[in-house]
Amino acid sequence: GIKVFITSVSANSGLKKNQQMIVDTLSAKGISFETIDISATENEEQKMFMRQTATAKSGQSVPMPPQIFSDDEYLGDYDGFYESLEDNNLDVFLKLAAPSQTSEASVTLTNE
């Protein structure tokens, strides 16, 4: 399933907004997901997994939440999520659907 790695302990309002936007979007679209709060001590192992598997942005020493996974497969961060939403490709980003093929077929309607 979809996992969203978040932190409940951050003074960064942009990070909090990004986390909330992902959670709200997935909820609104009826996509089931699990949030994992890496600031909770019981999630230390998950936090290490996220840091080892996700990609840090330039200027960051470790990947920062929110990070999105499908089971153990890294999907991306907020930027990738937002971009897929803008491109109407969220299902593909989340690996819930295959990339769609554009058909070259055309239909001609005649009024007979």
Side-chain angles (χ1 to χ4, degrees):
I2 303 299
K3 296 179 186 173
V4 182
F5 287 77
I6 64 165
T7 180
S8 59
V9 181
S10 177
N12 182 331
S13 64
L15 183 143
K16 287 180 180 174
K17 266 201 301 209
N18 292 351
Q19 290 179 162
Q20 196 57 52
M21 186 274 216
I22 291 172
V23 168
D24 290 349
T25 301
L26 293 175
S27 297
K29 292 188 172 289
I31 297 168
S32 64
F33 65 98
E34 171 188 6
T35 55
I36 298 163
D37 183 356
I38 64 164
S39 60
T41 52
E42 68 269 17
N43 290 332
E44 190 63 32
E45 200 174 298
Q46 291 276 21
K47 176 181 173 180
M48 297 310 296
F49 166 78
M50 183 207 84
R51 287 188 169 173
Q52 290 166 353
T53 314
T55 306
K57 286 189 170 154
S58 64
Q60 291 179 341
S61 56
V62 293
M64 298 300 292
Q67 298 290 340
I68 305 157
F69 287 76
S70 175
D71 295 317
D72 292 340
E73 181 184 356
Y74 179 61
L75 301 178
D77 60 6
Y78 172 80
D79 293 340
F81 181 88
Y82 184 79
E83 200 173 289
S84 73
L85 206 54
E86 290 287 298
D87 294 342
N88 239 2
N89 274 332
L90 185 60
D91 286 353
V92 175
F93 174 80
L94 296 174
K95 305 272 178 160
L96 300 174
S100 59
Q101 299 290 321
T102 305
S103 172
E104 297 299 321
S106 63
V107 176
T108 304
L109 298 175
T110 55
N111 201 3
E112 290 183 27

